[in-house]
C-alpha cells in the first residue's frame, strides 16, 4: 500500500498501478481515450494529463500523462489544477478538429465516450474553421460498420485487434498527417472478435451493423442481464429490446469469465430470436389453437398414452429440463444428446468432482504461464478461452520486463521488449488452429495418437501413469519438452474437452493435470463442452438418447415430448425417423422450426432466452442466470412455464405446489444433489432496494407513451415480472444493484460502456459485490480418482476407409446463431477435408464430390484438401446445415470404384448443363 495526495486529500492505495487507474478506482472523473483496462497504456492521446508535484513545497509542479505515470509512495498530484484542466481542454479541441458534427445521426450518439470526455473537459466551442479531412469508408463484412471520418487516432482498434486478439487484416496506414485505420482493401474482417471494435472504439468509427439494421438509441432499449447461449463458456451479456424485438447484444463485464469482450458468435448470433423461422403459434395436427385449446387437447391425450417420455436439451435452461423431468418422471427423462456426448459430459463431471485439480476461470487462464491443449480447436469451440490463451503466452516474456522494472500496465514498452517471444504453449489437434502461430510446438494427429501423447507426458510427470509404448522418436522428444515446460511453470493449465469427441483424449488431459498437481499446486484443468448447458444437463441426471429410441421401438412408450431440441442434430436420420414414426404422439416444445418440428403432432411455441428466465451451468461448473429482456407476445411462453401449466392440468402431484420460477428453482436445489446452491445464484424475486425494483430501462428512456399510439392513445399498463426483482419500466432503482442484477452500465457523466469502471471494486477487477454466478463443482481434496488406464493403440489407416472426425466452425457449428442473417453469411458450405495423398488414391480433386458411407448412412460432399491433415483421416464440419449427423469419430467406407463413377456423372452433368 502507498499513501498519495490528490488535490490536498490523502488516500491509501495499492501500488503497481498507474495514476489513471488509481484515480478512476478512487472515483475521480479523469478523461482518457487510448488507455483501456485490458489493453494497458501507450500514451497516444495525451488526454489524461494531471499535475504532479515533487513534495508539499512544490507549488509549480509538472504536467504528466496519468496513464504513463506509476503510483509511488507519498506522491502528490492534482486533477483540478487550472493548467492541467486547460491542457486537457486543448487536447480535446485539436482531437475534434476533423471530427464531424454528426452526433444526431451517429450510431454512438448518447452512448459515446468521446461525447462524455468532451463534456468532462469543458470543451464546448470549436474555433476550427477550415475544411475537415475526409476519408472513404470500407466494407468490413456483415458485423461491423465503418465511418472513418469520426476517428480521433486513439489506436485502440488496432491495439485490440492486432496485439490483443491476434488479427492480421486490420491495421493503421499513414501518409504525412493522414492516418487511416482499416484493411488494405474492402473485405470481411477475419477475426472472431471483430465485434469488440464497436465497444473498444471511443467514437463511432466502428459500430454494430446488425443494430443499424433496426436502429434504436441505446438509452431507449429495455435491457436485462443475460448469458450467452452459443458455447459453454457462459459469457455475460446485456440483451436490449425495443418494440418487441431483440435489437442488440452487448458485453456485460464479468471479471472471471469474459471480462470486457465477447466473440462475434456471441455478439451477433442473437438475431435468431427475430428469425422468420420462429414458432409463434400452437398447433395440434393442422390447426392453430389457443393456449386453452392446446391444454384441453393435451390433457386427455396424456391420460390415454401408455407412457410419456421426455427428451431434454443442452441448450435449454436448468429450470426447463427440471420441469420436464418432473413432468414425465426421472425414469422417463432422457438427455437429448448423442450417446458419446452424454458419456463425455458424465466423464467431465467425474473429473471435476472426483479429481484433484480445480477448473480455472477464463481470467485465471489469462494468468497461466504454460498451456497444453489436447485435441481442441478452442478458437472455434470456446473463442473467449482462446482469447485468454493469447494473453497467457505473454507471461513468460513479461518476466524480462519485470526484471528491469517495466510495470505490467506499460503495454508499449513490454511489447517492445518481448518482440516475438512467446511463452510455452503446446497445441495438439487433428487440423490447424489459429493458436498454432503462438505455439512452441504443434502436433497434428488422430485423436487416439493425441491421447497417446497425453499419456506419455503424464508418465514423464509421474511414473505411476501408464505410458504409451512405441512412440516415434520425434513424439517422445515432444513429450519430454512438454513435461519439462509444464514442470518449470508456476501456473500451468491443461485444456481439452468434449468437442474433440474422444474420451481417451479427455482422460489423458486429466492424467496430465493430476500428475502435475502433485508437484504444482496451482495447476488448472479446463474442459470445454459442446453447448451452453451441456454440463448442467449432465449434472441433472438422465438416460441416453438411444434408450429413449429403444423405449418407443420396443413398445414401452408411445408419446414423447421433445423440448428445445432438433433430434436430427444428435442422432442418425434413419434412427430418428424410425423413432418419431413409431411414436403415437410427438409433442415438440421449441422456438425455431427445424426437421424434428416437421414430424410433430403437437407444436408448442417456447420463448427464447430473450423471452425467458433460466439458469445455465458453464464449463467450469458456474451456474449463472439470464433474465427476460421482454415479455413474449402471442402465446409464446417459457418452456418451464408451459410444462408447469401442463403438470397442473394433468394433476402432477409433484408439480402441484410450484407456482413460479422461484418455486421450480428451489425444488431443483433441494432435489438435485449436483445442483445444490443453484437457488443462490441471484437474489429472490422479492428483493428490493429502498423498496424499489431494479429498472430495466434507463432514466432517459423515451417514446413510451407513443409506441402504441397508432393502436391506442392511452398508455398501456407495463407488464409485471413476478419472477425477478427487475421491472419492465424506467421507474425503479437506477443505482448499483447486486452484480447478477445489473441490466446496464451507466453513471453520471459516463454514458458509454466505459462506465463499467464505476461498478468495479478496482478498475479492471471484479464487480463491487463479486462477479455473478455460483460454482457448483469443486475438486476433492482426499480420496480422488486414480489415474486413468487403457492407453489407446496407435492409429493406423485402413484401405478403402477414412477415419472421419468433426471440424468445428465458430459460424455454423452452433445451431441457434446459424439462423442469424449476419452469421449465416459467414457459415461455410458443406465439405469433406482430405489429405492430398488420400485424395490422389481415391482419384478426386478439390471440388469433386466424394461418396462415402458411415454406419449405413451415405454422404456425398465436395472435397477440400489440406496437406497438414494426417493421412487416413478426413474432417467433416460439425453441425453445418447440409451435413447429416454422424456419431464421430468413426470409420467411413470409401469404395474407390464408386468415386470414378461419381466423377463420370459429374462430368456428364457439366457437359449437359
Amino acid at each position: 500500500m502507498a499513501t498519495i495526495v490528490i488535490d490536498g486529500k490523502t488516500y491509501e492505495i495499492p501500488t503497481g498501478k498507474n495514476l489513471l487507474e488509481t484515480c478512476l478506482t478512487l472515483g475521480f472523473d479523469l478523461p482518457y481515450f487510448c488507455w483501456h483496462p485490458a489493453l494497458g497504456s501507450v500514451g497516444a492521446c495525451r488526454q489524461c494529463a494531471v499535475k504532479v508535484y515533487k513534495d508539499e513545497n512544490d507549488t509549480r509542479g509538472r504536467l504528466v500523462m496519468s496513464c504513463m505515470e506509476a503510483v509511488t509512495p507519498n506522491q502528490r498530484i492534482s486533477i483540478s489544477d487550472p493548467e492541467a484542466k486547460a491542457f486537457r481542454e486543448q487536447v480535446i479541441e485539436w482531437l475534434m478538429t476533423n471530427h464531424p458534427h454528426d452526433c444526431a445521426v451517429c450510431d454512438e450518439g448518447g452512448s459515446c465516450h468521446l461525447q462524455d470526455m468532451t463534456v468532462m473537459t469543458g470543451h464546448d466551442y470549436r474555433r476550427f474553421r477550415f475544411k475537415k479531412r475526409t476519408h472513404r469508408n470500407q466494407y468490413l463484412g456483415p458485423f461491423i460498420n465503418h465511418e472513418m471520418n469520426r476517428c480521433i487516432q486513439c489506436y485502440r482498434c488496432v491495439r485490440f485487434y492486432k496485439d490483443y486478439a491476434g488479427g492480421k487484416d486490420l491495421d493503421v496506414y499513414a501518409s504525412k498527417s493522414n492516418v487511416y485505420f482499416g484493411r488494405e482493401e474492402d473485405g470481411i474482417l477475419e477475426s472472431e472478435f471483430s465485434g469488440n471494435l464497436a465497444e473498444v472504439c471511443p467514437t463511432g468509427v466502428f459500430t454494430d451493423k446488425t443494430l443499424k439494421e433496426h436502429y434504436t438509441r441505446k438509452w431507449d432499449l429495455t435491457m436485462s442481464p443475460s448469458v450467452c447461449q452459443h458455447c459453454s463458456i457462459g459469457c455475460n451479456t446485456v440483451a436490449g429490446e425495443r418494440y418487441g424485438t431483440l435489437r442488440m447484444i452487448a458485453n456485460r463485464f464479468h471479471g472471471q469469465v469474459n471480462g470486457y469482450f465477447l466473440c462475434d458468435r456471441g455478439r451477433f448470433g442473437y438475431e435468431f430470436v427475430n428469425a422468420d423461422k420462429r414458432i409463434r403459434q400452437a398447433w395440434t395436427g393442422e390447426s392453430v389453437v389457443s393456449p386453452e385449446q392446446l391444454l384441453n387437447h393435451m390433457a386427455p391425450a396424456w391420460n390415454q398414452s401408455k407412457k410419456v417420455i421426455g427428451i431434454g436439451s443442452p441448450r435449454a435452461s436448468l429450470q426447463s429440463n427440471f420441469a420436464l423431468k418432473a413432468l414425465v418422471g426421472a425414469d422417463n427423462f432422457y438427455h437429448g444428446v448423442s450417446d458419446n456426448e452424454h458419456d463425455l459430459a458424465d466423464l467431465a463431471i467425474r473429473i471435476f468432482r472426483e479429481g484433484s485439480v480445480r477448473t480455472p476461470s477464463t481470467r485465471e487462464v489469462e494468468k497461466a504461464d504454460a498451456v497444453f491443449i489436447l485435441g481442441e480447436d478452442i478458437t472455434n469451440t470456446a473463442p473467449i478461452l482462446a482469447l485468454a490463451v493469447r494473453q497467457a503466452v505473454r507471461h513468460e516474456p513479461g518476466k524480462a520486463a519485470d526484471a528491469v522494472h517495466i510495470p505490467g500496465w506499460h503495454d508499449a514498452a513490454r511489447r517492445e521488449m518481448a518482440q516475438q517471444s512467446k511463452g510455452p504453449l503446446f497445441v495438439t489437434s487433428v487440423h490447424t488452429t489459429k493458436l498454432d502461430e503462438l505455439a512452441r510446438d504443434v502436433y497434428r494427429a488422430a485423436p487416439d495418437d493425441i491421447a497417446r501423447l497425453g499419456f506419455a507426458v503424464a508418465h514423464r510427470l509421474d511414473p505411476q501413469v501408464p505410458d504409451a509404448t512405441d512412440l516415434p522418436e520425434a513424439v517422445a522428444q515432444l513429450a519430454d519438452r512438454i513435461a519439462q515446460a509444464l514442470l518449470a511453470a508456476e501456473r500451468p493449465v491443461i485444456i481439452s474437452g468434449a468437442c474433440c469427441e474422444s474420451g481417451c483424449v479427455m482422460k489423458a488431459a486429466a492424467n496430465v493435470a493430476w500428475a502435475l498437481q502433485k508437484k504444482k499446486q496451482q495447476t488448472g484443468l479446463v474442459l470445454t463442452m459442446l453447448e451452453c448447458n451441456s454440463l448442467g444437463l449432465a449434472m441433472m441426471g438422465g438416460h441416453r438418447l438411444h434408450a429413449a429410441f429403444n423405449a418407443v421401438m420396443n413398445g414401452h412408450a408411445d408419446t414423447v415430448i421433445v423440448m428445445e431440441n432438433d433430434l436430427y442434430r444428435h442422432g442418425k436420420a434413419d434412427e430418428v425417423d424410425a423413432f418419431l414414426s413409431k411414436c403415437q404422439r410427438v409433442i415438440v416444445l421449441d422456438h425455431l422450426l427445424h426437421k424434428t418440428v416437421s414430424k410433430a403432432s403437437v407444436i408448442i411455441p417456447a420463448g427464447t432466452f430473450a423471452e425467458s428466465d433460466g439458469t445455465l451451468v458453464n464449463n467450469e461448473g458456474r451456474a449463472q442466470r439470464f433474465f427476460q429482456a421482454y415479455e413474449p407476445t402471442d402465446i409464446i411462453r417459457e418452456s418451464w412455464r408451459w410444462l408447469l401449466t401442463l403438470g397442473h392440468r394433468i394433476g402432477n402431484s409433484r408439480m402441484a405446489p410450484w407456482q413460479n420460477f422461484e418455486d421450480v428453482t428451489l425444488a431443483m436445489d433441494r432435489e438435485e444433489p449436483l445442483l445444490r446452491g443453484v437457488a443462490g445464484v441471484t437474489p429472490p424475486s422479492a428483493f428490493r432496494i429502498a423498496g424499489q425494483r431494479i429498472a430495466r430501462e434507463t432514466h432517459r428512456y423515451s417514446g413510451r407513451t407513443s409506441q402504441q399510439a397508432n393502436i391506442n392513445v392511452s398508455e398501456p399498463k407495463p407488464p409485471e415480472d413476478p419472477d425477478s426483482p427487475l421491472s419492465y419500466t424506467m421507474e425503479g432503482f437506477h443505482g448499483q444493484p447486486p452484480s447478477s442484477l445489473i441490466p446496464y452500465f451507466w453513471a453520471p457523466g459516463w454514458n458509454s460502456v466505459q462506465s463499467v469502471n464505476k461498478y468495479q471494486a478496482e478498475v479492471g477487477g471484479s464487480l463491487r459485490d463479486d462477479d455473478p454466478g455460483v460454482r457448483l463443482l469443486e475438486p476433492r481434496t482426499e480420496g480422488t480418482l486414480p489415474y486413468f488406464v487403457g492407453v489407446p493403440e496407435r492409429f493406423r489407416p485402413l484401405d478403402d476407409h477414412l477415419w472421419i472426425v468433426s471440424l468445428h466452425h465458430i459460424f455454423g457449428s452452433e445451431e441457434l446463431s446459424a439462423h442469424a442473417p449476419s452469421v449465416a453469411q459467414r457459415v461455410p458450405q458443406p465439405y469433406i477435408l482430405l489429405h492430398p495423398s488420400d485424395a490422389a488414391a481415391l482419384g478426386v480433386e478439390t471440388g469433386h464430390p466424394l461418396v462415402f458411407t458411415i454406419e449405413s448412412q451415405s454422404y456425398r460432399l465436395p472435397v477440400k484438401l489440406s496437406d497438414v491433415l494426417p493421412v487416413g483421416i478426413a474432417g467433416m464440419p460439425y453441425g453445418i446445415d447440409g451435413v447429416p449427423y454422424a456419431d464421430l469419430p468413426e470409420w467411413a467406407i470409401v469404395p474407390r470404384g464408386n468415386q470414378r463413377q461419381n466423377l463420370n456423372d459429374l462430368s456428364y452433368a457439366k457437359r449437359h448443363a
Side-chain angles (χ1 to χ4, degrees):
M1 299 293 287
T3 299
I4 67 170
V5 179
I6 302 177
D7 287 321
K9 190 173 181 179
T10 303
Y11 299 88
E12 289 286 335
I13 51 93
T15 56
K17 302 290 185 179
N18 61 44
L19 282 177
L20 176 58
E21 290 178 273
T22 301
C23 290
L24 293 174
T25 296
L26 292 172
F28 290 97
D29 289 339
L30 184 58
Y32 62 89
F33 287 116
C34 65
W35 176 82
H36 187 281
L39 306 180
S41 304
V42 293
C45 70
R46 326 304 291 172
Q47 183 61 74
C48 61
V50 296
K51 186 71 77 69
V52 174
Y53 302 93
K54 292 181 181 179
D55 51 42
E56 64 272 15
N57 298 318
D58 182 5
T59 58
R60 185 174 181 181
R62 61 187 177 91
L63 285 174
V64 301
M65 301 307 114
S66 60
C67 73
M68 300 297 289
E69 187 77 8
V71 169
T72 57
N74 302 315
Q75 200 169 27
R76 304 179 71 87
I77 71 169
S78 174
I79 298 173
S80 60
D81 177 82
E83 188 178 357
K85 290 175 67 176
F87 184 90
R88 295 196 295 264
E89 186 175 348
Q90 290 166 5
V91 168
I92 198 75
E93 183 176 15
W94 63 255
L95 285 176
M96 295 287 283
T97 54
N98 286 293
H99 193 81
H101 295 237
D102 67 344
C103 294
V105 297
C106 176
D107 293 358
E108 287 292 292
S111 55
C112 174
H113 186 63
L114 177 60
Q115 285 180 331
D116 290 346
M117 299 301 98
T118 303
V119 173
M120 192 178 294
T121 59
H123 170 63
D124 58 4
Y125 182 77
R126 299 191 189 183
R127 294 176 291 175
F128 186 75
R129 290 290 178 268
F130 305 98
K131 186 175 181 180
K132 291 181 180 288
R133 180 190 59 221
T134 58
H135 297 282
R136 184 184 70 83
N137 300 321
Q138 289 185 316
Y139 169 75
L140 299 179
F143 299 149
I144 292 296
N145 192 63
H146 190 224
E147 294 283 349
M148 184 58 204
N149 292 329
R150 298 170 182 156
C151 183
I152 59 169
Q153 295 90 47
C154 72
Y155 288 84
R156 267 198 193 181
C157 57
V158 292
R159 291 181 58 220
F160 167 78
Y161 195 90
K162 291 180 59 181
D163 298 342
Y164 194 91
K168 301 290 191 298
D169 59 323
L170 181 79
D171 213 328
V172 54
Y173 305 91
S175 175
K176 299 180 180 177
S177 61
N178 289 318
V179 181
Y180 191 90
F181 296 86
R183 303 179 84 252
E184 290 185 0
E185 59 183 6
D186 287 19
I188 297 173
L189 288 172
E190 297 170 3
S191 172
E192 295 80 8
F193 309 100
S194 64
N196 293 292
L197 294 173
E199 290 186 9
V200 167
C201 177
T203 75
V205 177
F206 300 100
T207 55
D208 183 341
K209 185 178 283 189
T210 66
L211 174 61
K212 199 178 187 69
E213 295 297 323
H214 42 212
Y215 187 69
T216 298
R217 291 295 185 190
K218 292 176 185 176
W219 69 75
D220 281 337
L221 292 170
T222 301
M223 291 176 276
S224 287
S226 193
V227 178
C228 182
Q229 309 286 303
H230 305 303
C231 85
S232 65
I233 297 298
C235 295
N236 283 212
T237 62
V238 172
E241 172 269 351
R242 181 78 165 177
Y243 292 110
T245 60
L246 192 61
R247 301 295 180 94
M248 178 192 73
I249 286 292
N251 180 67
R252 182 165 64 104
F253 178 86
H254 191 297
Q256 293 300 315
V257 178
N258 53 294
Y260 293 90
F261 306 118
L262 294 174
C263 76
D264 287 353
R265 181 167 68 189
R267 187 180 296 275
F268 303 112
Y270 73 91
E271 288 183 293
F272 78 89
V273 173
N274 311 318
D276 294 336
K277 287 190 172 184
R278 280 299 304 275
I279 300 172
R280 300 188 183 277
Q281 299 289 342
W283 292 77
T284 58
E286 299 295 324
S287 304
V288 176
V289 294
S290 67
E292 188 62 25
Q293 291 172 325
L294 175 67
L295 294 169
N296 289 338
H297 170 83
M298 290 188 64
W302 187 282
N303 296 326
Q304 295 166 11
S305 299
K306 180 186 297 183
K307 181 187 285 187
V308 181
I309 63 174
I311 297 180
S313 171
R315 60 173 168 87
S317 69
L318 290 177
Q319 285 77 11
S320 295
N321 280 298
F322 179 71
L324 180 59
K325 183 178 180 181
L327 182 67
V328 300
D331 291 339
N332 303 317
F333 178 68
Y334 300 85
H335 291 179
V337 299
S338 69
D339 288 0
N340 188 37
E341 185 181 343
H342 179 283
D343 294 344
L344 291 174
D346 282 351
L347 174 61
I349 293 173
R350 279 190 69 205
I351 291 170
F352 289 150
R353 293 188 68 235
E354 302 176 33
S356 59
V357 176
R358 180 177 178 273
T359 298
S361 66
T362 310
R363 180 66 173 269
E364 291 168 325
V365 172
E366 288 184 5
K367 299 176 182 177
D369 51 357
V371 179
F372 181 26
I373 301 175
L374 281 94
E376 288 291 293
D377 180 4
I378 56 175
T379 304
N380 286 308
T381 60
I384 287 295
L385 180 60
L387 193 62
V389 170
R390 286 187 174 274
Q391 314 323 308
V393 298
R394 297 180 57 194
H395 278 282
E396 186 177 271
K399 294 176 181 177
D402 294 336
V404 294
H405 307 295
I406 299 176
W409 48 262
H410 203 320
D411 187 66
R414 293 178 76 88
R415 289 188 183 276
E416 184 68 23
M417 186 164 189
Q419 295 292 317
Q420 300 303 313
S421 299
K422 299 290 185 294
L425 167 65
F426 302 93
V427 178
T428 66
S429 60
V430 175
H431 194 237
T432 56
T433 77
K434 282 201 170 182
L435 292 178
D436 292 354
E437 63 183 4
L438 303 177
R440 184 170 292 181
D441 282 292
V442 174
Y443 178 61
R444 301 190 184 100
D448 281 355
D449 285 340
I450 290 173
R452 287 168 57 80
L453 173 63
F455 274 93
V457 171
H459 178 77
R460 283 154 176 76
L461 296 171
D462 185 350
Q464 294 183 19
V465 181
D467 195 7
T469 57
D470 300 326
L471 284 178
E473 182 62 25
V475 178
Q477 293 176 0
L478 174 60
D480 291 336
R481 292 196 298 272
I482 295 172
Q484 292 168 8
L486 293 175
L487 284 172
E490 296 176 2
R491 296 182 300 276
V493 169
I494 315 303
I495 298 175
S496 187
C499 303
C500 66
E501 300 178 282
S502 170
C504 292
V505 173
M506 285 177 58
K507 291 175 181 178
N511 278 356
V512 173
W514 294 340
L516 196 56
Q517 175 77 359
K518 291 183 176 181
K519 301 175 182 179
K520 299 288 179 180
Q521 292 300 308
Q522 295 191 64
T523 300
L525 172 63
V526 179
L527 299 177
T528 63
M529 297 288 107
L530 279 164
E531 300 205 41
C532 63
N533 204 24
S534 293
L535 205 59
L537 178 64
M539 291 169 70
M540 189 168 293
H543 307 297
R544 289 177 173 82
L545 182 60
H546 267 88
F549 293 173
N550 293 335
V552 170
M553 300 305 291
N554 294 332
H556 300 310
D558 60 356
T559 299
V560 60
I561 299 178
V562 182
M563 184 192 67
E564 298 189 38
N565 201 327
D566 182 5
L567 298 182
Y568 289 91
R569 288 180 59 89
H570 301 283
K572 292 193 297 182
D574 57 347
E575 293 181 348
V576 178
D577 284 339
F579 164 68
L580 295 177
S581 62
K582 181 74 171 178
C583 290
Q584 186 176 342
R585 299 175 189 87
V586 177
I587 303 166
V588 176
L589 175 59
D590 212 333
H591 45 73
L592 281 176
L593 293 171
H594 47 67
K595 194 172 180 181
T596 303
V597 175
S598 67
K599 304 296 180 69
S601 53
V602 176
I603 303 172
I604 307 176
T608 64
F609 77 96
E611 302 149 327
S612 306
D613 290 270
T615 306
L616 305 176
V617 179
N618 77 346
N619 70 303
E620 59 175 305
R622 185 188 299 269
Q624 301 181 106
R625 181 173 171 183
F626 58 91
F627 295 82
Q628 275 188 338
Y630 59 99
E631 278 206 335
T633 57
D634 304 321
I635 66 167
I636 296 171
R637 301 176 187 175
E638 303 101 314
S639 292
W640 61 263
R641 197 181 299 277
W642 274 117
L643 296 167
L644 183 58
T645 305
L646 179 58
H648 290 168
R649 183 62 64 95
I650 65 173
N652 185 302
S653 58
R654 186 182 177 195
M655 304 176 79
W658 307 345
Q659 299 299 320
N660 51 41
F661 178 87
E662 206 158 276
D663 291 341
V664 176
T665 305
L666 288 170
M668 180 170 58
D669 193 305
R670 289 191 306 267
E671 299 175 21
E672 296 292 343
L674 296 184
L675 297 175
R676 296 276 164 78
V678 72
V681 169
T682 57
S685 59
F687 176 82
R688 301 290 185 272
I689 299 178
Q692 296 179 305
R693 289 178 176 269
I694 293 94
R696 280 182 171 92
E697 299 169 355
T698 73
H699 63 284
R700 300 185 294 166
Y701 192 89
S702 64
R704 192 173 74 186
T705 59
S706 61
Q707 285 189 38
Q708 299 188 42
N710 61 320
I711 302 171
N712 192 330
V713 295
S714 298
E715 182 182 342
K717 180 183 178 181
E720 296 181 2
D721 187 355
D723 297 316
S724 82
L726 302 173
S727 75
Y728 281 110
T729 69
M730 62 191 291
E731 289 80 24
F733 181 73
H734 287 284
Q736 293 192 17
S739 60
S740 60
L741 298 177
I742 297 173
Y744 55 84
F745 294 109
W746 180 89
W750 297 80
N751 299 291
S752 76
V753 70
Q754 311 296 325
S755 58
V756 69
N757 72 75
K758 299 294 186 180
Y759 291 72
Q760 295 166 324
E762 180 182 20
V763 171
S766 294
L767 297 171
R768 289 189 184 277
D769 65 333
D770 208 358
D771 295 306
V774 174
R775 282 184 63 119
L776 304 177
L777 295 176
E778 295 293 352
R780 290 184 182 179
T781 55
E782 296 179 358
T784 57
L785 274 176
Y787 289 120
F788 290 110
V789 296
V791 182
E793 295 183 2
R794 187 174 177 180
F795 172 77
R796 290 179 173 83
L798 296 178
D799 291 340
D800 296 328
H801 287 73
L802 289 170
W803 185 244
I804 309 292
V805 299
S806 292
L807 299 178
H808 287 258
H809 293 267
I810 185 173
F811 305 120
S813 290
E814 192 275 326
E815 179 182 5
L816 300 180
S817 60
H819 292 282
S822 58
V823 171
Q825 297 181 46
R826 302 288 305 274
V827 174
Q829 294 298 310
Y831 66 89
I832 183 77
L833 190 68
L834 302 179
H835 189 278
S837 62
D838 288 325
L842 295 169
V844 293
E845 299 176 0
T846 298
H848 288 171
L850 181 73
V851 175
F852 55 98
T853 303
I854 303 175
E855 294 185 332
S856 75
Q857 181 164 281
S858 297
Y859 294 81
R860 176 177 171 167
L861 296 173
V863 169
K864 286 186 177 182
L865 300 182
S866 171
D867 57 4
V868 300
L869 191 70
V871 175
I873 292 178
M876 197 161 70
Y878 177 89
I880 299 293
D881 189 29
V883 180
Y885 171 84
D887 196 3
L888 303 179
E890 187 53 79
W891 285 108
I893 301 173
V894 193
R896 298 174 187 241
N898 285 3
Q899 305 309 318
R900 286 190 290 274
Q901 179 62 45
N902 191 44
L903 290 177
N904 290 335
D905 293 344
L906 177 67
S907 176
Y908 178 86
K910 286 182 177 178
R911 288 198 308 271
H912 294 81

